[in-house]
Amino acid sequence: MRFLLIEDNEELAAAVVDRLSLDGHVVDHAADLSTASDFTSVTSYDLILLDIMLPDGDGRSFLNSHRNSKNSTPVIVLTARSEVSDRVGMLDSGADDFMVKPIDFSELEARCRAVLRRRGGKSTNRITVGDLTFDSLAGTLETPTEVVQLRPRELRLIEILINAPGQIFSKGALVDRLFSYDEDVSENAIEVYIGRLRRHLSASRTEIVTVRGLGYKLDAS
């Protein structure tokens, strides 16, 4: 998954990026609203983590603009304000959840998973397609013959495919979802990870299909 973190505290931002990256997520960091707007104008995100007090304005203005533009990307607000009225105001403005600083990273990860589940209309971390079951919390892929412990980037790639079975993803779209701006990678990297996942799926009737000239899709037929 690709996240946008809007946070001006460099130490906190670095800690959040490091923690979420360990889970295989791509996290772009914007230290102000201007940079955040530049990022969202060219990139689609799965989740936005938004600080309120920023050098060039109030994060609530970003949230209001985000929702007024009909952008459905979920937003978790990171705030030092613990008053009920502040929390109610942020939720009414379109925030999907919030966390009061200082942040507990285990709770942050759990809230990210919960928000993403709600966005996908799912109630658990387990997704079954055909004879394949993926557990995003455990990081496992269960086939008819084994349970595979996935590496972080394998995990995020199958997560993209299994959440939209039958949908075709181009190599470029997958690069955008799996790698940050700082990583110099080519689309050939996607072929490598697709190859690894196909080996994991060798005993399953569910397969990753190459659609010539277009990309890849997960097929459970």
Side-chain angles (χ1 to χ4, degrees), residues 52 60 63 77 79-95 98 100:
I52 292 299
R60 284 170 292 195
L63 178 59
V77 170
T79 178
R81 300 176 177 178
S82 58
E83 291 80 4
V84 172
S85 59
D86 287 322
R87 301 200 300 268
V88 169
M90 287 181 284
L91 292 171
D92 284 342
S93 295
F98 62 87
V100 177

Side-chain angles (χ1 to χ4, degrees), residues 21-221:
S21 296
L22 287 175
D23 288 336
H25 297 296
V26 175
V27 185
D28 294 326
H29 171 225
D32 52 48
L33 296 175
S34 176
T35 304
S37 295
D38 289 342
F39 281 166
T40 56
S41 68
V42 297
T43 303
S44 296
Y45 291 96
D46 297 292
L47 178 66
I48 296 174
L49 303 172
L50 174 66
D51 186 23
I52 292 299
M53 303 302 293
L54 293 157
D56 56 348
D58 191 316
R60 284 170 292 195
S61 64
F62 176 93
L63 178 59
N64 288 329
S65 175
H66 180 72
R67 292 304 181 219
N68 288 337
S69 66
K70 308 302 181 184
N71 192 317
S72 62
T73 303
V75 177
I76 298 178
V77 170
L78 310 178
T79 178
R81 300 176 177 178
S82 58
E83 291 80 4
V84 172
S85 59
D86 287 322
R87 301 200 300 268
V88 169
M90 287 181 284
L91 292 171
D92 284 342
S93 295
D96 295 88
D97 202 351
F98 62 87
M99 287 195 67
V100 177
K101 298 177 181 179
I103 292 171
D104 179 89
F105 291 112
S106 295
E107 182 182 0
L108 175 61
E109 291 171 324
R111 288 183 181 273
C112 288
R113 289 192 297 269
V115 166
L116 290 170
R117 283 200 308 271
R118 292 200 298 271
R119 183 195 187 197
K122 298 176 177 64
S123 59
T124 73
N125 293 302
R126 291 172 63 85
I127 302 171
T128 298
V129 173
D131 59 358
L132 192 67
T133 298
F134 169 66
D135 189 322
S136 60
L137 178 57
T140 58
L141 194 61
E142 184 176 346
T143 73
T145 60
E146 63 179 339
V147 177
V148 180
Q149 187 70 48
L150 298 169
R151 297 176 181 177
R153 203 146 268 160
E154 295 172 347
L155 188 159
R156 296 309 163 198
L157 177 54
I158 193 63
E159 185 174 43
I160 293 167
L161 297 173
I162 206 167
N163 271 292
Q167 180 177 332
I168 300 171
F169 293 89
S170 68
K171 289 182 183 179
L174 293 174
V175 167
D176 187 59
R177 297 281 294 276
L178 292 172
F179 299 95
S180 69
Y181 291 123
D182 297 332
E183 295 176 282
D184 184 19
V185 298
S186 71
E187 293 182 356
N188 291 337
I190 297 300
E191 296 179 9
V192 173
Y193 289 107
I194 289 291
R196 291 179 182 176
L197 286 178
R198 280 174 168 160
R199 286 193 289 273
H200 295 325
L201 299 179
S202 60
S204 172
R205 294 189 303 277
T206 303
E207 59 180 344
I208 299 173
V209 176
T210 300
V211 182
R212 182 175 292 275
L214 295 177
Y216 304 99
K217 67 175 182 178
L218 191 70
D219 188 354
S221 60

